[in-house]
Amino acid sequence: MYLKRILTALAVSAALPAASHATELEVTHWWTSGGEAAAVAELAKAFDASGDKWVDGAIAGSGGTARPIIISRILGGDPMGATQLNHGRQAEELIEAGLLLDLTDVAEKEGWKDIVNPPSLLESCTLDGRIYCAPINIHSWQWIWLSNAAYEKAGVPVPTNWEEFTAAAPKLEEAGIVPLAMGKQGWQQNGAFGVMVVAIAGVDAWKKVNVEKDAEVARGPEYAKVFEAAVNAREFAKDSNVQDWNQATNMVITGKAGGQIMGDWAQGEFQVAGQVAGEDYTCLPGLGDNEILDTAGDAFYFPKVDDPETTEAQKRLASLIISKDVQVAFNLKKGSLPIRGDVDLSSANDCMQKGLKILADGGIMPSGDQNLTPDTQTQIEDLMAEFWSGDMSAEDAQSRYADIIERAE
């Protein structure tokens, strides 16, 4: 791959100074919204309390903005101490190029294989039997968030499934409320489309396309229904004139929109706004049609450096990420689920409790990040951005989508 071809031109050096009482680690991430910032502050606080020093390297924008910057720095010999990425295939070539720290010794000493649940999270950190990342949470796209106040104003009950959501949309519009909040970015639109696939076409069809890369299923009648539903959703979101996901979430929080299809990281925004799950807002897993979670999420990777003190600090942070206390403090603020099932989350809100029950009952599926390459993901996101912003027909969008799946590795 291209990373291997240019590896000989790279010189990875330690760029992180060590203080007399602690080792400083610059940690890059893209957690910059209100809820995300509150969560990452818990992680930084725990690392500082352990005797080391967290140097925050937040990158404004989405992962699509941050990842090229992160990768460019690692390739250019200016590595950070640790970096957030999504566990899956995003770091595959960096690992193959020998640029990321092997954490297998830490993982084996602490029994990560017996702790991390579901096992697919750690498998996504593993290449050729070696472990290269520390998963910190389980994030799932499989949610729609609904404003109780918006539906009360429109005089209709809060929906319990996608069919009811669709039926209520005209009443919301009559009340001056946008039915569906949607940021104008391909990753958001693609994420929402994936949720609709699982709810409308079903998990088996989703797996055929995303895991087995079956283009004939992508061209078939199950996916045709999804693209037709997406055309309706596009109409519901036509007046959602925001860019970022948290701006769309704010439309739901303020009652300007009826709902938003977004991952469970949206919970952090509701918490920062002081809203109570089950009272101010309603959450429906699987669009209310099925109770299932895709087990995506975030993990920390550690670029190789030639300073032993920094390497040891990197391993200390990896260990801390998996620890019980950090798992509870971080995920309660983030709205995500912990990667270990032996922690006390009795204080979790109504929506998190729903997610925990689904996880405990085994209602899980893989995520696209774990099966599709970044290149394929980008192609689909570009298609979705074009589809949601224009008047592309369902048939044309489905045909182009199936062509991408047919070429996918």
Side-chain angles (χ1 to χ4, degrees):
M1 302 297 282
Y2 75 96
L3 293 183
K4 290 181 179 178
R5 293 198 298 266
I6 65 173
L7 180 58
T8 55
L10 304 176
V12 179
S13 62
L16 304 172
S20 60
H21 63 284
T23 299
E24 294 186 353
L25 285 186
E26 181 195 5
V27 185
T28 52
H29 59 87
W30 56 85
W31 290 323
T32 56
S33 74
E36 291 173 326
V40 78
E42 293 291 336
L43 188 52
K45 181 170 65 176
F47 190 58
D48 289 351
S50 73
D52 291 305
K53 179 63 178 176
W54 177 287
V55 179
D56 200 68
I59 301 171
S62 66
T65 300
R67 281 190 293 271
I69 297 172
I70 291 166
I71 293 171
S72 176
R73 284 191 53 186
I74 296 172
L75 294 177
D78 180 28
M80 60 293 296
T83 187
Q84 170 206 6
L85 289 171
N86 300 121
H87 44 66
R89 301 185 65 177
Q90 292 173 1
E92 196 170 72
E93 292 187 19
L94 291 172
I95 295 170
E96 292 173 343
L99 297 176
L100 298 181
L101 181 66
D102 185 339
L103 300 173
T104 307
D105 58 338
V106 180
E108 290 181 346
K109 179 181 178 181
E110 299 181 358
W112 287 8
K113 287 186 179 180
D114 298 322
I115 292 172
V116 177
N117 181 56
S120 60
L121 300 179
L122 199 58
E123 290 168 5
S124 293
C125 290
T126 304
L127 189 67
D128 297 330
R130 310 301 292 178
I131 296 170
Y132 292 91
C133 70
I136 192 170
N137 60 15
I138 300 169
H139 264 319
S140 177
W141 259 103
Q142 301 298 316
W143 297 89
I144 186 169
W145 310 90
L146 304 169
S147 167
N148 290 6
Y151 285 94
E152 182 178 354
K153 180 180 178 182
V156 291
V158 176
T160 62
N161 56 42
W162 181 251
E163 183 178 358
E164 292 178 4
F165 178 85
T166 299
K171 288 291 185 182
L172 291 176
E173 290 176 324
E174 289 174 9
I177 298 167
V178 176
L180 182 65
M182 178 68 71
K184 298 182 183 299
Q185 294 171 334
W187 73 268
Q188 297 180 56
Q189 297 151 343
N190 183 42
F193 176 79
V195 177
M196 295 172 68
V197 171
V198 174
I200 297 170
V203 177
D204 290 343
W206 184 94
K207 288 182 178 178
K208 280 284 187 182
V209 171
N210 289 271
V211 179
E212 300 177 26
K213 318 298 189 300
D214 191 328
E216 291 310 306
V217 174
R219 291 191 176 92
E222 297 99 332
Y223 265 69
K225 292 177 183 177
V226 182
F227 278 97
E228 290 165 4
V231 169
N232 290 333
R234 181 175 66 189
E235 181 67 17
F236 299 155
K238 66 180 185 298
D239 294 323
S240 178
N241 297 314
V242 295
Q243 185 76 10
D244 297 325
W245 71 267
N246 52 311
Q247 294 174 318
T249 305
N250 187 255
M251 291 179 68
V252 180
I253 291 171
T254 57
K256 295 177 181 178
Q260 178 192 23
I261 302 174
M262 184 52 60
D264 50 14
W265 48 91
Q267 283 199 85
E269 303 305 299
F270 286 100
Q271 291 184 60
V272 168
Q275 295 212 331
V276 178
E279 296 180 14
D280 301 304
Y281 66 98
T282 296
C283 55
L284 300 178
L287 300 185
D289 290 317
N290 51 46
E291 293 198 343
I292 193 164
L293 301 178
D294 60 301
T295 48
D298 301 295
F300 278 89
Y301 292 79
F302 302 85
K304 280 185 179 179
V305 295
D306 61 10
D307 177 19
E309 289 188 6
T310 297
T311 300
E312 289 305 308
Q314 290 173 319
K315 291 182 177 182
R316 288 194 293 271
L317 178 55
S319 176
L320 191 70
I321 285 167
I322 304 290
S323 68
K324 287 185 178 182
D325 288 347
V326 167
Q327 280 291 304
V328 172
F330 177 85
N331 286 298
L332 282 177
K333 291 290 179 65
K334 190 71 163 61
S336 48
L337 301 179
I339 54 91
R340 52 190 300 167
D342 58 351
V343 295
D344 181 10
L345 282 178
S346 56
S347 61
N349 67 27
D350 178 69
C351 293
M352 286 190 70
Q353 293 293 353
K354 286 182 182 180
L356 288 167
K357 184 178 186 305
I358 293 170
L359 187 63
D361 291 344
I364 59 174
M365 57 179 282
S367 73
D369 288 338
Q370 293 168 310
N371 292 282
L372 300 176
T373 64
D375 179 62
T376 298
Q377 290 273 45
T378 298
Q379 291 180 56
I380 295 173
E381 288 173 7
D382 289 346
L383 170 62
M384 289 297 164
E386 184 180 350
F387 170 79
W388 283 83
S389 64
D391 57 1
M392 185 187 302
S393 70
E395 293 79 11
D396 287 348
Q398 183 178 7
S399 177
R400 289 177 57 181
Y401 178 86
D403 288 345
I404 294 172
I405 295 300
E406 191 168 41
R407 298 190 301 269
E409 296 180 4

